[in-house]
Amino acid sequence: MEKIIEQIKAMLADDRIEEALAAVEQALAEHPDDATLLFWRGNIHMKKGHTSLAVSDYARAKNIAPDSPAAQAYAAAMDVLNFFNHDLYNP
């Protein structure tokens, strides 16, 4: 599994987002409850601007492995989603 994760990281570093997504999807087909793969798919979705898909992956990974980096990523994504500045919307 480490080799797959390293390949995904390398693809993302080279900005090959679609290729990284395909690789993580293929790995998840074989290991659907792998928290690390879910975390990385969440990162890819976040990079693509698909915040709701990223949050879903982070939440699922967090439920599988509560101490994983996905827990922090989930909290950060929720902070972004819950941000509301009354001064900007109600001058």
Side-chain angles (χ1 to χ4, degrees):
M1 188 65 62
E2 277 185 44
K3 183 178 177 182
I4 294 169
I5 299 301
E6 291 305 316
Q7 290 173 343
I8 292 166
K9 287 179 184 180
M11 289 175 207
L12 289 174
D14 292 339
D15 209 30
R16 299 181 329 211
I17 298 169
E18 294 302 324
E19 193 176 340
L21 182 59
V24 79
E25 291 285 355
Q26 183 178 8
L28 277 167
E30 296 174 25
H31 308 281
D33 293 326
D34 187 288
T36 304
L37 290 172
L38 289 166
F39 168 72
W40 281 102
R41 186 172 69 179
N43 289 344
I44 293 167
H45 284 311
M46 190 63 80
K47 192 167 187 134
K48 291 179 71 169
H50 302 152
T51 308
S52 61
L53 293 173
V55 168
S56 178
D57 281 339
Y58 293 150
R60 193 164 152 219
K62 179 179 78 114
N63 288 337
I64 294 167
D67 294 332
S68 74
Q72 293 174 339
Y74 175 81
M78 290 307 294
D79 284 346
V80 169
L81 290 175
N82 291 327
F83 177 76
F84 181 78
N85 186 333
H86 293 282
D87 293 335
L88 291 176
Y89 296 108
N90 298 313

